[in-house]
Amino acid sequence: MAKTDKPTNVPAPGLEESRLGKSILVKGQISGSEPIFIGGRIQGSINIPGASVTIGKEAQVAVNVTAREVVVLGSLLGNLNVSDRVHVHGEGTCVGDITAQRLSVDDGALLKGTVALQGSSGSIAAAKAASQHAG
């Protein structure tokens, strides 16, 4: 398998990345413990809490995702529950609610939904709302 030159497609050390090509259509649940690259269409849910999920440029997914990290290069419709980071690239579209510790959105990306950023000591969004009500 040829490696791409995109650093976002590199799996964590010691873990091999699973790949679903652009002609693949999955309806249902995907779960596991290794990083996954989605190149095709998925409808359902992805539950990979300890690894990363990459939505490729040509991918069109309608899923709820639980993962350590999500990288969106294509189109994602669904809610994200991410323990670390969500990165929406400039070509990416993400429509749905996001809960994560970190979020980065490149220029040109489309992001629509609510965002709850969790800090190490709880929700940053909740702290901000509490400070607004206190004053």
Side-chain angles (χ1 to χ4, degrees), residues 1-126:
M1 176 174 18
K3 296 228 179 206
T4 64
D5 59 341
K6 293 183 181 126
T8 57
N9 291 345
V10 177
L15 292 178
E16 187 172 323
E17 178 181 64
S18 294
R19 298 181 68 84
L20 296 175
K22 64 182 177 180
S23 69
I24 303 296
L25 167 64
V26 175
K27 293 183 179 183
Q29 295 181 329
I30 295 175
S31 62
S33 59
E34 62 192 59
I36 187 167
F37 177 88
I38 310 293
R41 296 180 304 154
I42 307 265
Q43 298 171 355
S45 66
I46 299 174
N47 185 19
I48 305 179
S52 65
V53 174
T54 301
I55 308 301
K57 277 186 175 184
E58 297 179 26
Q60 296 181 358
V61 298
V63 296
N64 291 322
V65 178
T66 300
R68 180 184 49 78
E69 176 182 40
V70 173
V71 176
V72 181
L73 301 160
S75 176
L76 183 137
L77 171 63
N79 299 326
L80 303 178
N81 186 5
V82 179
S83 61
D84 187 15
R85 175 179 86 112
V86 174
H87 184 177
V88 184
H89 284 258
E91 311 86 28
T93 299
C94 186
V95 178
D97 298 338
I98 298 172
T99 301
Q101 284 191 7
R102 299 181 293 155
L103 171 66
S104 59
V105 181
D106 291 348
D107 287 345
L110 172 67
L111 177 64
K112 183 175 182 181
T114 64
V115 175
L117 296 178
Q118 306 288 331
S120 59
S121 61
S123 172
I124 295 171

